[in-house]
Amino acid sequence: MASVTTSISGQPGKPKLPRRRLMTRRSLSRLPTLAILTVVGLIMLFPTVWVLSTAFNNNGGIATGNILPTKPSLYNFREILNVVSSGEPVLRWLLNSIGVSIVAAIGVALIDSLAAFALARLQFRGSKVVFYVVVSSLMVPFIAVLLPQYLWFHWLGLLNSYGALILPYTANAFGVFLLYQFFLGIPRELQEATTVDGAGPFVMWYRLFVPLSIGITATLGLLTFMNVYNDYFWPLIATSTPNMRTVTVGLEIVAIGQYQTNFGALMALTVISVIPMLVVFVFAQRRLVEGIAMSGLAGV
Amino acid sequence: MSSLQPSQPALTDTGSGQYTGRGEAFPAKAGNGPASPVLAPHQAVGKNRRKRRLVDDLKAYAFLAPYLSVFILFTLVPVGFGIYVSLHKWSTTLGNQGFAGLSNYSTLIEGQGYYGSQFYQAMSNTVLFVIISVPLLWAIPTGLAYAVFRSPAKGLWRILFFYPSVFSVTAFGSAWSLLLATNGGSVNSILHTDIHWLTGVPMAWLSIDLATIWATMGFSFIIMYAAVTQVPRIILEAAEIDGARPFARFRYVILPLLRRASIVVIIIETIASFNLFAQDQIMTGGGPGYDTTTISMNIYNQAFSSFNIGGATAAAFLLAIVLAVIAFIQLRVSRRRA
Amino acid sequence: MHKLLRALTTGTVAATVAATGLQGGTASASVAQASNKPIAITYAGFSSMNGLTPILNKLNKQYAGKYSFKSTAYPYNNYAALLSAAIAGGNTPDVFGASWTPSVYYAREGLELPIKPFLKAAAINSADFPSGMYGTPTLVNGVNYSIPLDAFGTAMFYNKALFKKAGLNPADPPKTGTQFVADALAMKKAGVKYPVIIGADKTTQDFLYPSLVYQFGGVMGDPKTCGALFDSKAGIAAATWEKNLTYKYKVAPTGPSVGEDLDEFGKGAVGMVMLPAINQGALLKDLGANLGVAPLPKVGTANDEDFVGQQYLWVFKTTVSTTPQGAKGVAILLKAIYGQELKTIATQNGIIPTYSPVLSAVKTMPFFAQQDYMVQKGRINPAIPNWGTVTGVPLYNNLDNVLLNKTSVSAGIHEAMVQTNELTATLPACSD
């Protein structure tokens, strides 16, 4: 904060520039920024152009490093249809992915909101222990729990079910941490007003904290959705029948063989599979930014 | 822009120094644990007080119950079971072959056998990647966030910088490895170069980094962007009137205000970088030689190719310890700077 | 206590699942022993078995009520994780089809059943397999556990248009190492961008390096001791020849990335590549009449055998396959696979079946003669658990360093053998 204070108060007497001059200077100073953004933006688009060109190219599945398709066609998409007609339930994979991700996202948002509220706003014995155990669980590498998790689900008799595809994601320590940060930022005056009304903690959570945190909670939901949708290893080992696969696993089954990768089919199915997420994101991105902006995480 | 300025009183700076809307930063909290009791039993005394406290505990745990039950069932039990496995001679296919004490750990630490002899190299490769990638994974989204904030068509840029997050690792790993191919890749042909993007070090690391940044920076970008929008407008304008150069303004005025968001991003990216696996596997296969073989690959191969899940989980928990130590140091450093 | 806890946790979880209405699929493959329930026979393998579904549908109709046949496609990249998880969870598929050497591991661990009784029940004659692929080379502790399914030799692919450009005869591809280098130099002189690309990655070297080692009269490893033996004169000669293409004759570019030999060849930029003979279909589509396929040139002179990649089938010891009725079901499945399915794989994917009744039925495939020659002359991996698939990692990582000129040939090959032996020693099946 120190440097900020100096720069504000350091030159109190400096006269304000005329508005027009300021505007011109601003637009001029924006040019390098825009140039940088354009360059980076092109780099961001570059691989996607390749993905699209590979998906719409007909070259027998062997990859070209070309940016534009040499033989444009819908061949790869017809290949995917062939895969469907040969019995692989591609549509079911997509629906599985979408359904599982939505349920996990809603579950995480609800469960984590309740937990974060208790940790941030209620006084109880053991709160420190709970908090640290939850946060330190972020440090465990996924690879350490992959097989134990599998054996545990086997023991529970839940493998190859939607339960197996959803439940492991519900224990989302990051979400608790995120919402915890946000709840800490809610001013005490508001809570006290609610407490004076004689409301219990549940009413307070429901009436005050949930509405105030709807943005960040939606953000958490969206991030969870993407996370679950793109996960690979767990759905791979937790499912064993074609109907229970998710699309990320299906992608590998369809496109990656022992000695060859069918890049055309891989990219065609990728294009199909990212559409739901892109739609969600384009509509949600503003909300996402607002959501995090309101959280304590990004606070000044 | 104004729509992004929070309307909730929760987050407005009153300017009086009583900035009530600020959540405590993670590091600042780290020493104090969960904060700000709301339902402090202020009136209760004696026996009543004890009873009241018990009721409060019960209420709090009722809120925590759903999370704690899934946490115990799907995090603690597998982790606990993993630790149990790591203390046994445990074959991936045949199961438990008897108690082994700490021998799985000592084999790795003493560098015995194939996986032991590879352990330090894989670990140092991983640490090297973390050192290269975390600063980039923080600095690039931060710089971009500020640039987008200062330019028109913000929504468009936000979509542009976030959208790669929708790609699965198989898709983006394959895409980048073909774009960066030495002889036929588009990058070399556009630049008219002959760079060994994937078959030489340190280029292979930078390439993996490039793909990782491309695909995963969306989240960090959004966090940093949101943080930039929270910088009070008066500070931005004052800095502008000052005539400070954009970079200096950014470095000395804006950046210090993004400290808390930066810490979150850095810790998340540190954890993610330590877990580097799939894009590395796809892009370089751990090569050239063993140069980009990470500890996760080492663990994965030990578990599923050499069928030694006991040794693999031991390596995984050693990784967790290294990760925890580094995260702890990061927190301490960031707190001292505060 | 265990039961109570289990009931409790399962109850909680099941309640959650039920509440969200998400219970799907069956929890795990339970043994169908009830008299009216069909016995479930499960097959798992790589996704290349894409013709299997209609066959299983047909079988399921034919044996309705008695058997139900199911198949699961395992993505190649992570099949070991998936199979390990299935075995650890008691969910092992009855029949599995994959690269051969993993089967050696499971056989040594006592997880497989001898294959002979199944062959008898399925009326498959073991004499119909190539002698190099079934019999003595595939014995594990004196017993055969697996049968060959299909195979792909190591081929030299060449671009006929680039041959013509260099004034070479496209009908006469090089037959020796010396001719190979001479032709490559001629193409270089004629301005061909990449006369040769030598892939340093595992996919290429899995095939090329052992082929050259055999040609120079060496062996890769000894099944009895699980020991690697390629740090020999032959092993060093093989790597030296590969390395010289880049650094001595300068006909191949340095540092090609993974899969680039195939990709660039498909784009028509490369004169000659040496690769597993598995991509003819795709290459034919890209290059058309310009695609040439030939057996590997004879680089070493000691031997005419090249390495051949192989897919095998084996039967896991499961609660189904160990019962007489279950075993009968497995035999029915095997019979179907060795009939129609192999034909489908061959005609759709252009892969050579290693079962002569089917082989004679698909002789119309392009390049059939060349492929047949490669397979018949081929030598499979030694019967060492996971040889090539896993124990290949140190070899190909170190070979990578050699081909990138980061280390000398002798040092790289020596280091590779030391590490390979360290790695095989970690396999319980080898340290017994």
Side-chain angles (χ1 to χ4, degrees):
Chain A
M1 277 311 274
S3 60
V4 178
T5 326
T6 327
S7 66
I8 296 170
S9 56
Q11 314 209 4
K14 190 159 183 174
K16 211 175 176 183
L17 288 166
R19 187 149 183 85
R20 239 179 96 186
R21 235 185 103 194
L22 186 65
M23 284 305 290
T24 331
R25 265 187 55 187
R26 247 190 212 167
S27 352
L28 272 179
S29 73
R30 270 177 181 172
L31 279 179
T33 313
L34 274 177
I36 292 171
L37 283 179
T38 310
V39 171
V40 181
L42 286 176
I43 296 174
M44 295 307 282
L45 283 176
F46 184 55
T48 310
V49 173
W50 183 85
V51 167
L52 289 172
S53 105
T54 307
F56 289 98
N57 200 6
N58 176 7
N59 66 338
I62 288 180
T64 69
N66 298 344
I67 268 300
L68 291 173
T70 43
K71 300 173 200 163
S73 86
L74 288 173
Y75 172 81
N76 292 315
F77 292 90
R78 280 199 297 271
E79 280 274 274
I80 301 289
L81 281 180
N82 282 344
V83 170
V84 174
S85 59
S86 83
E88 295 286 11
V90 177
L91 186 67
R92 175 81 185 253
W93 296 341
L94 269 171
L95 292 177
N96 281 348
S97 284
I98 295 173
V100 159
S101 309
I102 288 177
V103 175
I106 294 172
V108 164
L110 187 69
I111 292 171
D112 286 5
S113 177
L114 285 166
F117 171 72
L119 286 171
R121 284 310 191 210
L122 303 180
Q123 194 187 45
F124 60 98
R125 279 167 286 186
S127 61
K128 262 189 199 176
V129 176
V130 171
F131 181 80
Y132 287 120
V133 170
V134 168
V135 168
S136 53
S137 74
L138 282 170
M139 310 291 168
V140 179
F142 82 97
I143 212 127
V145 288
L146 193 64
L147 206 69
Q149 182 92 275
Y150 174 86
L151 293 174
W152 174 229
F153 269 76
H154 172 69
W155 193 74
L156 293 172
L158 276 175
L159 285 176
N160 204 35
S161 71
Y162 285 113
L165 287 175
I166 294 166
L167 291 168
Y169 302 107
T170 53
N172 184 328
F174 170 72
V176 174
F177 176 52
L178 192 78
L179 292 176
Y180 167 84
Q181 290 284 332
F182 177 80
F183 289 151
L184 284 180
I186 291 178
R188 208 163 294 180
E189 293 83 12
L190 273 174
Q191 297 156 232
E192 272 159 13
T194 325
T195 324
V196 171
D197 280 352
F202 185 78
V203 174
M204 190 193 295
W205 172 75
Y206 182 72
R207 284 269 168 82
L208 181 66
F209 285 78
V210 170
L212 284 180
S213 67
I214 200 80
I216 185 82
T217 314
T219 306
L220 174 62
L222 186 70
L223 291 172
T224 310
F225 180 92
M226 294 187 148
N227 212 10
V228 176
Y229 197 94
N230 274 334
D231 199 13
Y232 172 67
F233 277 105
W234 176 248
L236 171 72
I237 68 165
T239 59
S240 55
T241 56
N243 275 338
M244 293 305 296
R245 302 286 195 203
T246 60
V247 73
T248 43
V249 178
L251 205 67
E252 301 250 333
I253 291 174
V254 168
I256 299 187
Q258 185 173 9
Y259 292 104
Q260 58 185 354
T261 299
N262 186 342
F263 287 102
L266 177 69
M267 294 311 162
L269 193 49
T270 294
V271 168
I272 296 169
S273 75
V274 300
I275 289 171
M277 274 197 293
L278 272 182
V279 169
V280 169
F281 176 67
V282 168
F283 287 105
Q285 56 93 11
R286 197 183 188 89
R287 205 66 232 233
L288 201 71
V289 174
E290 288 171 13
I292 300 179
M294 284 184 290
S295 78
L297 282 182
V300 177
Chain B
M1 244 347 280
S2 59
S3 68
L4 283 176
Q5 295 295 339
S7 51
Q8 279 88 341
L11 290 153
T12 40
D13 194 331
T14 58
S16 63
Q18 291 178 321
Y19 182 46
T20 51
R22 69 199 289 177
E24 287 295 320
F26 180 30
K29 275 331 293 169
N32 317 331
S36 326
V38 195
L39 300 179
H42 31 279
Q43 294 112 339
V45 278
K47 207 176 177 182
N48 259 351
R49 186 183 170 138
R50 231 186 298 152
K51 200 176 160 194
R52 176 76 190 263
R53 218 182 145 187
L54 185 69
V55 172
D56 284 343
D57 284 354
L58 285 176
K59 278 180 182 166
Y61 280 103
F63 274 89
L64 281 167
Y67 182 78
L68 284 183
S69 40
V70 291
F71 181 72
I72 290 166
L73 279 173
F74 308 120
T75 301
L76 276 193
V77 169
V79 168
F81 184 43
I83 293 172
Y84 178 80
V85 168
S86 77
L87 298 173
H88 290 75
K89 190 173 185 291
W90 198 299
S91 153
T92 311
T93 49
L94 300 181
N96 191 352
Q97 314 278 297
F99 186 69
L102 290 172
S103 68
N104 283 329
Y105 290 89
S106 61
T107 305
L108 292 167
I109 291 166
E110 287 162 16
Q112 293 165 6
Y114 179 74
Y115 289 100
S117 66
Q118 300 297 317
F119 181 73
Y120 284 100
Q121 177 167 16
M123 191 64 102
S124 63
N125 282 346
T126 309
V127 171
L128 181 70
F129 176 73
V130 171
I131 291 169
I132 301 173
S133 86
V134 173
L136 291 174
L137 278 165
W138 166 79
I140 292 175
T142 305
L144 288 175
Y146 184 60
V148 170
F149 180 74
R150 284 170 35 85
S151 65
K154 296 178 175 62
L156 180 80
W157 295 119
R158 289 200 302 252
I159 292 173
L160 203 51
F161 295 137
F162 188 90
Y163 88 93
S165 305
V166 302
F167 285 104
S168 70
V169 64
T170 312
F172 83 76
S174 312
W176 275 107
S177 60
L178 288 159
L179 287 170
L180 293 170
T182 314
N183 299 300
S186 295
V187 175
N188 268 347
S189 52
I190 288 171
L191 299 177
H192 293 286
T193 51
D194 186 26
I195 298 170
H196 293 188
W197 292 103
L198 300 165
T199 50
V201 277
M203 266 318 182
W205 280 127
L206 291 177
S207 301
I208 292 168
D209 236 335
L210 175 66
T212 307
I213 291 168
W214 180 82
T216 66
M217 87 166 176
F219 176 65
S220 303
F221 169 77
I222 292 283
I223 288 193
M224 296 315 295
Y225 181 82
V228 171
T229 67
Q230 293 308 103
V231 174
R233 178 169 282 202
I234 186 161
I235 294 178
L236 286 168
E237 279 179 0
E240 199 140 343
I241 292 162
D242 258 357
R245 303 305 311 149
F247 182 76
R249 186 160 66 225
F250 177 68
R251 168 71 186 81
Y252 296 106
V253 182
I254 313 296
L255 208 51
L257 298 176
L258 305 180
R259 197 179 60 87
R260 196 183 309 158
S262 299
I263 291 163
V264 171
V265 166
I266 286 169
I267 289 183
I268 288 170
E269 297 298 358
T270 304
I271 293 172
S273 299
F274 263 105
N275 280 306
L276 176 69
F277 180 73
Q279 61 266 48
D280 192 358
Q281 186 91 298
I282 292 167
M283 292 175 68
T284 66
Y290 285 100
D291 289 344
T292 61
T293 300
T294 63
I295 190 73
S296 290
M297 282 187 198
N298 189 297
I299 293 168
Y300 182 87
N301 288 338
Q302 194 173 1
F304 298 117
S305 300
S306 290
F307 308 102
N308 181 2
I309 190 84
T313 37
F317 286 107
L318 287 177
L319 171 62
I321 291 168
V322 172
L323 181 48
V325 167
I326 289 187
F328 179 75
I329 293 170
Q330 284 176 337
L331 289 176
R332 286 302 288 257
V333 169
S334 62
R335 203 192 307 178
R336 201 167 306 144
R337 287 234 187 105
Chain C
M1 186 58 205
H2 171 267
K3 271 193 174 156
L4 181 74
L5 181 66
R6 181 173 176 159
L8 223 84
T9 39
T10 314
T12 320
V13 173
T16 323
V17 176
T20 43
L22 284 160
Q23 189 79 51
T26 45
S28 60
S30 54
V31 198
Q33 292 303 359
S35 54
N36 56 349
K37 228 174 146 194
I39 300 172
I41 309 289
T42 52
Y43 168 84
F46 300 148
S47 34
S48 58
M49 300 283 279
N50 53 9
L52 201 55
T53 315
I55 293 163
L56 295 188
N57 290 343
K58 212 173 134 198
L59 284 183
N60 281 331
K61 252 186 217 152
Q62 194 180 340
Y63 294 94
K66 268 183 99 178
Y67 293 107
S68 80
F69 296 92
K70 289 174 189 153
S71 85
T72 310
Y74 278 27
Y76 175 70
N77 277 355
N78 305 99
Y79 88 91
L82 202 47
L83 184 57
S84 297
I87 292 171
N91 205 2
T92 319
D94 302 305
V95 182
F96 198 79
S99 322
W100 177 56
T101 58
S103 123
V104 179
Y105 169 79
Y106 299 110
R108 287 204 184 203
E109 290 290 56
L111 295 165
E112 288 176 33
L113 290 171
I115 199 75
K116 266 205 178 130
F118 292 102
L119 292 186
K120 208 174 161 195
I124 297 171
N125 186 354
S126 61
D128 285 331
F129 298 120
S131 60
M133 297 189 71
Y134 182 84
T136 322
T138 53
L139 291 182
V140 177
N141 301 328
V143 181
N144 258 314
Y145 288 93
S146 55
I147 38 173
L149 184 68
D150 52 59
F152 10 91
T154 316
M156 191 192 77
F157 295 102
Y158 62 101
N159 187 319
K160 291 181 178 172
L162 297 180
F163 262 57
K164 277 181 210 154
K165 191 180 170 187
L168 300 165
N169 178 7
D172 182 27
K175 292 194 175 56
T176 66
T178 322
Q179 282 172 11
F180 182 88
V181 173
D183 288 0
L185 285 170
M187 277 190 268
K188 193 185 174 188
K189 218 173 158 191
V192 173
K193 200 174 171 197
Y194 305 122
V196 179
I197 291 186
I198 291 291
D201 54 276
K202 197 170 167 301
T203 308
T204 304
Q205 294 300 338
D206 254 344
F207 283 74
L208 182 56
Y209 183 70
S211 293
L212 296 181
V213 171
Y214 297 148
Q215 288 192 3
F216 279 104
V219 283
M220 292 301 288
D222 178 5
K224 278 202 188 92
T225 58
C226 284
L229 291 172
F230 53 77
D231 184 12
S232 60
K233 259 188 186 161
I236 288 172
T240 308
W241 188 78
E242 286 193 37
K243 191 176 176 177
N244 282 347
L245 292 175
T246 306
Y247 299 97
K248 188 173 168 191
Y249 307 116
K250 298 195 184 347
V251 290
T254 57
S257 39
V258 178
E260 230 187 344
D261 38 3
L262 173 67
D263 297 341
E264 290 304 294
F265 184 77
K267 281 195 249 168
V270 190
M272 298 180 281
V273 286
M274 291 171 283
L275 284 171
I278 195 158
N279 288 299
Q280 291 103 314
L283 289 174
L284 200 58
K285 211 168 157 201
D286 283 357
L287 295 172
N290 283 330
L291 176 65
V293 181
L296 280 196
K298 281 195 75 185
V299 175
T301 45
N303 215 320
D304 192 20
E305 288 175 318
D306 290 330
F307 171 76
V308 60
Q310 64 274 266
Q311 301 262 49
Y312 277 64
L313 280 195
W314 60 89
V315 180
F316 274 115
K317 214 182 254 182
T318 66
T319 43
V320 174
S321 66
T322 44
T323 62
Q325 281 307 306
K328 222 173 155 187
V330 168
I332 293 168
L333 179 64
L334 288 186
K335 198 173 177 182
I337 290 175
Y338 279 82
Q340 189 50 48
E341 169 59 7
L342 267 183
K343 229 174 269 175
T344 314
I345 296 176
T347 44
Q348 282 189 358
N349 301 8
I351 295 168
I352 285 283
T354 36
Y355 180 56
S356 57
V358 180
L359 195 60
S360 50
V362 293
K363 276 194 173 163
T364 51
M365 291 183 338
F367 311 117
F368 175 84
Q370 290 91 330
Q371 289 187 74
D372 191 31
Y373 174 84
M374 293 170 218
V375 169
Q376 298 301 333
K377 279 277 177 189
R379 199 190 286 191
I380 59 167
N381 269 321
I384 296 173
N386 289 328
W387 186 269
T389 59
V390 177
T391 57
V393 171
L395 170 57
Y396 302 115
N397 280 356
N398 284 291
L399 201 54
D400 197 13
N401 286 334
V402 170
L403 295 178
L404 287 166
N405 210 12
K406 285 165 67 185
T407 178
S408 73
V409 174
S410 53
I413 297 297
H414 178 71
E415 185 60 30
M417 188 155 111
V418 170
Q419 288 179 8
T420 304
N421 286 334
E422 276 179 356
L423 182 54
T424 48
T426 65
L427 290 169
C430 275
S431 54
D432 288 348

